[in-house]
Amino acid sequence: MIIQPTSLAAMTWAGAASGTAAESWRVGAVLAARPMGMGEQGRMVLQIGALTVETDPLGIPLPSQFQVRVLAMGNPPLLEIIAGGGADPLVQRALRERLPQQNGYAPLLATLGALAQRPVVRQLPPEVRAALALLDQGVRTPQELTRADGLREAIARSGLFLESQLAQPRANPLPLGEEDFKSVLLRLAALLDRQPRLPAHVPASGADTPPPLRQRGLQAQPRAPLPLPLAEAPTEDDVGQLLARLRGDVHAALARLEIAQLDAAAAQAWMIEIPLQGTHGRDVLQIHLEHGQDTEVGGQSWTLGFALDLPALGPVQGELQLRDLRLNVRLWAERSATTERLERQFTPLRQRLAASGLQLDQLSCQTGLPHGHGQASALLLKATA
């Protein structure tokens, strides 16, 4: 369950962040909470840590005391109600450690792209250049992801399943050039940690991207701008700054991957992120894949959701529900012009689906992005500061 406070009744968030409450509200912190009744505007009043906050009604009864975890900072912050009883304390501890460290892939991809434009990068040690090349090869093309085998391969090599694949003694070895994305990140992180003259601790660059947790739902992630405008004559110091930035981005991406792995440990549902080669830059495709049982007919069901933010289309989300051979497709686009573009593709899409033997029950596209939903999703509250 997610709480997104609409206001801070005791003090403004800016005031809290500049005072003694700032440290206790860091990302990953666990705070005691209790309900205090309803406010004058019909909002629920909660005491969380040292602050009193207001939020929209959650629609569920709350115990007299519970705990929340800070998922993301901001105005307002984002909080998660911690489930009692069944939560594995080791998993919860690991999540708390990684949440403050994580960031999205977009800054990493932007830094990688900036490095590729510096000819002086050829002077780097061969093992670093080889690791950078492998990371670059992990960026998938649209042509790959629009093929069934290409999408399957991208999901398998996304890093989410690395340890489970390594634990299978009979698993086929990874083909040359098709290494797992997490293994490439681990190799590059180890090499960058050993590089001389790089700072010991470099934070991830760019804005804090919300973590890939199933209860948060899908979220389209915009492309990050290239760091450090390309100089006419790039210097060794210029490349050193980018390598230091890359080091922070790589560690943040690893923390993000491990959060997704920990979140999927006890469920038949996965949050998967795939770097995608776009026009004049790189993007991030986020996928929510869930396997379950159809309670109505007793068969198996699959749900595949996706979120993507392309410069030409803006944020787009979709959900495909497959029950036996019956398919429901729902699309959402933030821009009305994108909705119209997608709807113009409905006729050829229906024809392709019919040729594949699937029975299309629903195909729709709406303007405006949905809130998080699904069997494992939390109630997401639209908040205003």
Side-chain angles (χ1 to χ4, degrees), residues 113-125:
L115 272 169
Q117 298 180 18
R118 267 68 174 183
V120 74
V121 78
R122 299 170 187 165
Q123 301 175 14
L124 293 174

Side-chain angles (χ1 to χ4, degrees), residues 37-78:
M38 303 298 292
E40 296 181 356
Q41 304 298 322
R43 295 192 179 103
M44 179 178 295
V45 181
L46 302 173
Q47 180 77 33
I48 299 179
L51 300 180
T52 303
V53 306
E54 292 181 353
T55 184
D56 294 327
L58 300 180
I60 63 168
L62 289 174
S64 59
Q65 294 183 344
F66 56 97
Q67 288 183 316
V68 298
R69 180 186 299 112
V70 181
L71 285 185
M73 303 293 283
N75 185 5
L78 188 70

Side-chain angles (χ1 to χ4, degrees), residues 353-367:
L353 289 172
S356 69
L358 294 175
Q359 180 177 341
L360 182 62
D361 289 341
Q362 179 186 2
L363 176 59
S364 65
C365 185
Q366 303 176 33
T367 300

Side-chain angles (χ1 to χ4, degrees), residues 312-313 331 335-351 363-365:
L313 298 179
L331 303 173
R335 304 174 187 173
S336 57
T338 300
T339 301
E340 296 173 0
R341 290 182 63 177
L342 293 173
E343 287 177 340
R344 287 198 290 269
Q345 301 299 317
F346 278 8
T347 297
L349 179 58
R350 287 191 179 96
Q351 294 172 348
L363 176 59
S364 65
C365 185

Side-chain angles (χ1 to χ4, degrees), residues 100-103 107 111 199-206 241 243-252:
Q101 304 170 13
Q102 75 88 36
N103 200 9
T111 307
H201 299 285
V202 179
S205 56
Q241 291 182 50
L243 282 179
R245 177 185 174 119
L246 179 69
R247 183 177 182 228
D249 292 339
V250 167
H251 281 285

